Amino acid sequence: MHWRDALNKRALSLLSWKKHRRHVHLATTCAAIVQDITRSDVDAILVSGDLTNFGTPDEFALAADWLKQLPVTAMVIPGNHDCMIRQPAEKGLLQWKTWSATSYPYARIHDGVAVVGVNSGVPTPPFMAYGRVGRRQLARLEALLKQLGDAGLCRVVMIHHPPRRGLVTWRKALHDYRAFARVLKRTGAEIVLHGHSHDATLTHIPGTDIPLLGVASASLMDKREHRQACWNHLSIHAQDDGWAIQMSRHRPDGRITEKASWVRPRNSRA
C-alpha cells in the first residue's frame, strides 16, 4: 500500500495489522479452509465480506484473483474493511461484479435456492466499524424477498454485520438492525448468514424464528474455539411443504464441531 493511500482511516487499520492482526490472520489457514471446502464437494461458496484489509484497489484486484481460483462458483458481499473509505466503484466493489453485483440487494438463483446479498458496509469514523443497510436498500430487499417467496424459492440472505443486538459491540453494530428484522418478519426468509463478529454463533432474527448463522474468520487462529477459523456447510433440499436445511461447522483440519437442522415452510412469514 502506498503511503498516500494511508492518509485516512486506513492508517489506524494498518497499525492494527502490523501490531496484532498479521500474526493471527494467516493465509495458510485460509488456504486450509479452501482445501477442506474442495474435499466436501460443495456447489457454491458464499463469502460474507472482508476480503480486504484496507479496501485498496490493489487488494480488490488480488481478492478477484483469489475468487477466480475457488473450486466452484462464489457469491460475495462487501464487509466493513472493503468499504473503509469512499472511492470510485470501479476501483473497489465493481472489481467483484462477477461474484457480486453492481447494486444491492442482489439475488442469484441456484437449483431452487435464491442467495440474496445485502450490503451493510459503509465508511465510518476512526475507531468505528458499524454498518447500515439504509432505507432504499431495505425497500428493495422487501420487494425482492416477497417476489422470491411467491416464486417458491428458498431464500438465503447474506449480510456482513449481524442483524441482532449483542453479537458485537456497539461500535461495530448494524445501526438499522431493527428495521432489517421488521422487513424479514413481514416477508419471511429461510435462513440469514452473517460475518463481521469473527464468532461462530447460531441465533435468530429478533422477533422471528428465522435462523441467524454466524461464522468465524476463515483466516483467524485463536485459542477460543468459537473464534477459530471455520466454514459452515449448508445442505438445502426441497420437501413437499418446504425446505430441509442442514448445517455442519467445519474446521480447517476437517473436524466437524457443530451440527443443526431446520425444516422451513415454503414462503414462510416469520
Side-chain angles (χ1 to χ4, degrees), residues 103-105 135-145:
S103 63
Y104 299 89
R135 292 182 179 179
R136 291 184 179 179
Q137 194 178 173
L138 285 170
R140 292 195 295 266
L141 175 64
E142 183 160 4
L144 182 58
L145 289 175

Side-chain angles (χ1 to χ4, degrees), residues 18 20-21 27 35 37 64 66 85 89 93 111 116 140-141 151 157 159 184 194 200 202 215 217 228 252 256 264:
K18 288 185 174 295
H20 173 66
R21 284 191 287 120
Q35 289 176 1
I37 291 173
W66 180 80
I85 67 167
L93 294 180
D111 197 19
V116 179
R140 292 195 295 266
L141 175 64
V157 180
I159 184 171
L184 267 66
H194 75 83
L202 178 56
V215 65
S217 168
Q228 293 172 4
I256 297 176
R264 302 288 295 155

Side-chain angles (χ1 to χ4, degrees), residues 153 155 189-190 209 241-243 263-269:
L153 297 170
R155 297 158 298 176
E190 281 54 71
D209 61 355
D241 57 349
W243 302 93
V263 176
R264 302 288 295 155
R266 195 177 298 272
N267 195 16
S268 61
R269 297 293 191 269

Side-chain angles (χ1 to χ4, degrees), residues 7-250:
L7 296 178
N8 46 48
K9 185 183 174 180
R10 286 179 179 142
L12 293 173
S13 189
L14 181 61
L15 289 174
S16 176
W17 171 256
K18 288 185 174 295
K19 183 178 180 180
H20 173 66
R21 284 191 287 120
R22 68 188 177 99
H23 301 295
V24 294
H25 286 277
L26 306 177
T28 52
T29 303
C30 186
I33 288 282
V34 173
Q35 289 176 1
D36 190 54
I37 291 173
T38 303
R39 289 192 295 266
S40 300
D41 193 30
V42 302
D43 54 16
I45 298 175
L46 308 187
V47 185
S48 56
D50 281 355
L51 275 75
T52 72
N53 279 299
F54 316 109
T56 65
D58 287 346
E59 284 184 303
F60 273 98
L62 288 171
D65 289 339
W66 180 80
L67 289 166
K68 291 175 185 176
Q69 297 171 25
L70 291 177
V72 293
T73 299
M75 286 164 268
V76 180
I77 56 169
N80 60 292
H81 283 266
D82 309 319
C83 300
M84 188 169 292
I85 67 167
R86 298 186 187 280
Q87 62 182 339
E90 61 271 15
K91 291 186 176 182
L93 294 180
L94 284 184
Q95 295 195 57
W96 297 348
K97 63 182 179 181
T98 300
W99 308 274
S100 192
T102 57
S103 63
Y104 299 89
Y106 70 79
R108 300 207 174 185
I109 300 172
H110 177 77
D111 197 19
V113 174
V115 176
V116 179
V118 179
N119 182 10
S120 62
V122 293
T124 59
F127 305 106
M128 296 293 171
Y130 57 76
R132 185 183 298 108
V133 179
R135 292 182 179 179
R136 291 184 179 179
Q137 194 178 173
L138 285 170
R140 292 195 295 266
L141 175 64
E142 183 160 4
L144 182 58
L145 289 175
K146 287 180 178 177
Q147 177 185 354
L148 296 170
D150 291 342
L153 297 170
C154 179
R155 297 158 298 176
V156 177
V157 180
M158 183 166 54
I159 184 171
H160 183 68
H161 293 78
R164 181 184 177 93
R165 185 178 181 182
L167 294 181
V168 291
T169 60
W170 65 271
R171 69 181 187 88
K172 297 182 178 181
L174 183 67
H175 277 191
D176 49 2
Y177 79 91
R178 291 186 180 88
F180 181 89
R182 286 194 295 268
V183 167
L184 267 66
K185 189 173 184 177
R186 290 191 295 266
T187 64
E190 281 54 71
I191 191 168
V192 178
L193 316 178
H194 75 83
H196 191 48
S197 66
H198 293 183
D199 291 335
T201 54
L202 178 56
T203 54
H204 292 85
I205 295 294
T208 79
D209 61 355
I210 301 171
L212 176 61
L213 183 61
V215 65
S217 168
S219 61
L220 180 60
M221 296 301 296
D222 197 288
K223 295 180 179 179
R224 296 161 291 182
E225 183 169 299
H226 69 283
R227 290 183 65 82
Q228 293 172 4
C230 69
W231 67 280
N232 296 324
H233 187 177
L234 290 177
S235 177
I236 302 174
H237 299 283
Q239 296 184 337
D240 291 341
D241 57 349
W243 302 93
I245 303 176
Q246 296 178 321
M247 184 278 292
S248 57
R249 205 182 299 275
H250 293 238

